[in-house]
Amino acid sequence: MTCGALAAIEAGCETAFTVDASRVTFGRGALGEAGARARALGMRRAALFTDPRLRALPWSEEVRGSLAAAGVELAIYDAVAIEPTDASFEDAARFAADARVDGYVSLGGGSVIDTAKAANLYASHPAPLRAYVNVPAGDGRPVPGPLAPHLACPTTSGTGSEVTGIAIFDWVALGAKTGIASQRLRPSEAIVDPRCASTMPAEVVAASGMDVLCHALESYTARPYTRRAAPVPPTARPMSQGGNPWSDLGCREALRLLGAYLERAVRDATDEEARSQVMWAATLAGIAFGNAGVHAPHAMAYAVAGRVRDFRPAGYPDAPLVPHGMAVAVSAPAVVRYTGGTAPARHLEVAALLGADVRGAADADAGEVLAGELLRLMRAVAMPNGASGVGYGPDDIDGLVEGTLPQQRLLGNAPCELPREALAGLFSRALRYW
Ligand SMILES: [Zn+2]
């Protein structure tokens, strides 16, 4: 569908976009507000979701102390899987149902926050797992009512899960990542304390930073909201409503900050300014993509991460896994080479915000210029050399395409059609870059 702007109303295209803003408290020391904020949300007995590694860090003790001081009793769940699965979501939901809590606090990366969202959902509105999971993997049933309050405290500068209504997991039997998407899943509020960034290993800063970059890049180059069919009723407008002036604001600033600070943040854990600014970029990009939606690199990433064989990245638990940000980054240069012609000015603007000199670049070069800047940055922060760098070869392309096709929510948000043959071409061009 390619509605022209003026013919939009006649063609039944969107003429409006919706802004869903999250309540966010950002700043050094903000974790100390956890107790007061949980109490203000009405919590008396909360489930605290975290992971075993975090329990050893000072942030966990600080949050538990703040909650205790505010009189919030805790049931602690620290068995969160590094990449959640259908089984780990169900386990967390059983815990939440048995714990008889009136609210949720999550402290950790995207996996922890997503697990708390799922536990809250299934404890609040019991149903088989597949009920609320996105079609075609699940039934895509709407969440029937509000959830219990959820205070999300991210400790990594990546997923933006604290400000989005999305929870991602690996459905093991299907061999693919899928998720649940609903406004009701969005945490009630978030506390983002950039001190947490100081305890992230460099490899995690690099991979999660590339995830942030792709949230901003993909939301900025997504199909514009004016080229989507208007929903009936209007309250059914999806979170992935396409690029719009609100999401553009956050994308531009996130990209500018990443261009200025990501390499510094990866190089030096003691560079407080750089790590704080990347954390702020993650929050901004999260708000942006929660209101616009990501597209092809994320759709392809679910297959790249979901089909991992024996890739074991440094800086992560010793298990075969492709970190989400790495899985997204390996496809991004191939995708922007392909989509550059759909909105050349935007692709060039992204390259310039990241630090490229785009003077004299022609529209026809936009995809190549942006791909070049992405590749420069990927090499600077030690990302793998395309999908071959995480263990895939030409024989895997059919499987990777099969794992991507179910991600229709994301593929539909791309600026151009991406049928099977196009995805196969993208994967083959994403195997190796240098
Ligand atoms: Zn992501």
Side-chain angles (χ1 to χ4, degrees):
M1 182 171 59
T2 50
C3 305
L6 292 174
I9 295 171
E10 290 86 341
C13 269
E14 276 285 27
T15 54
F17 59 93
T18 298
V19 174
D20 273 301
S22 306
R23 169 176 286 172
V24 175
T25 300
F26 184 97
R28 301 184 75 77
L31 277 185
E33 299 184 14
R37 295 198 165 274
R39 194 59 191 244
L41 285 167
M43 294 186 212
R44 305 271 160 157
R45 177 172 160 75
L48 173 65
F49 279 74
T50 186
D51 69 33
R53 188 186 73 87
L54 275 159
R55 274 194 90 158
L57 296 176
W59 323 125
S60 171
E61 201 177 313
E62 188 170 334
V63 166
R64 279 183 284 135
S66 174
L67 290 162
V72 180
E73 221 181 279
L74 284 182
I76 297 179
Y77 184 88
D78 69 358
V80 171
I82 180 90
E83 298 287 322
T85 62
D86 48 331
S88 75
F89 267 14
E90 286 185 318
D91 185 61
R94 271 193 299 275
F95 166 84
D98 293 345
R100 307 206 166 280
V101 294
D102 57 15
Y104 295 77
V105 179
S106 54
L107 175 73
S111 302
V112 169
I113 299 172
D114 283 7
T115 300
K117 289 175 183 174
N120 189 358
L121 169 61
Y122 289 94
S124 301
H125 303 286
L129 182 71
R130 60 170 298 124
Y132 306 120
V133 173
N134 297 328
V135 287
D139 300 340
R141 201 191 295 170
V143 176
L147 309 189
H150 176 186
L151 178 62
C153 309
T155 56
T156 60
S157 47
T159 66
S161 179
E162 69 278 7
V163 290
T164 73
I166 300 165
I168 302 296
F169 67 99
D170 192 356
W171 199 321
V172 176
L174 303 182
K177 295 230 166 196
T178 181
I180 307 165
S182 165
Q183 288 294 356
R184 298 205 188 271
L185 235 55
R186 186 196 297 272
S188 320
E189 57 179 281
I191 296 180
V192 186
D193 189 331
R195 286 179 306 162
C196 298
S198 68
T199 46
M200 290 167 73
E203 295 88 350
V204 178
V205 177
S208 57
M210 290 306 298
D211 185 30
V212 176
L213 191 157
C214 290
H215 292 156
L217 161 78
E218 292 172 50
S219 299
Y220 201 60
T221 56
R223 180 161 71 159
Y225 76 99
T226 47
R227 287 208 275 123
R228 304 180 71 90
V232 181
T235 48
R237 184 170 291 129
M239 291 183 292
S240 293
Q241 62 187 332
N244 62 77
W246 166 252
S247 58
D248 286 351
L249 282 176
C251 293
R252 283 198 206 95
E253 180 64 356
L255 291 163
R256 186 188 72 78
L257 291 171
L258 292 167
Y261 294 106
L262 180 59
E263 286 173 68
R264 271 174 56 183
V266 171
R267 241 189 343 258
D268 183 1
T270 66
D271 189 336
E272 275 182 16
E273 182 192 13
R275 290 208 166 187
S276 290
Q277 295 287 15
V278 170
M279 198 101 176
W280 179 231
T283 307
L284 288 174
I287 293 170
F289 97 80
N291 282 278
V294 284
H295 62 85
H298 268 74
M300 296 165 74
Y302 293 134
V304 172
R307 294 177 166 257
V308 61
R309 283 191 290 263
D310 48 18
F311 180 70
R312 291 168 187 263
Y316 286 83
D318 187 26
L321 91 124
V322 184
H324 171 68
M326 210 178 262
V328 177
V330 294
S331 301
V335 170
V336 299
R337 279 178 173 142
Y338 191 77
T339 58
T342 62
R346 280 187 175 249
H347 285 70
L348 286 174
E349 197 182 349
V350 172
L353 287 163
L354 290 173
D357 182 356
V358 302
R359 283 173 299 180
D363 279 3
D365 304 330
E368 192 53 46
V369 169
L370 177 51
E373 181 60 15
L374 291 176
L375 291 169
R376 185 198 63 75
L377 198 53
M378 283 168 67
R379 296 178 80 156
V381 301
M383 282 293 105
N385 183 1
S388 64
V390 296
Y392 296 103
D395 293 347
D396 297 311
I397 287 174
D398 286 350
L400 290 168
V401 171
E402 286 306 320
T404 303
L405 283 169
Q407 311 299 334
Q408 288 300 321
R409 182 177 63 87
L410 302 181
L411 293 173
N413 210 33
C416 54
E417 300 288 327
L418 290 172
R420 179 184 294 272
E421 316 76 66
L423 289 171
L426 288 177
F427 273 120
S428 69
R429 291 189 293 277
L431 281 178
R432 185 178 297 277
Y433 295 107
W434 61 79

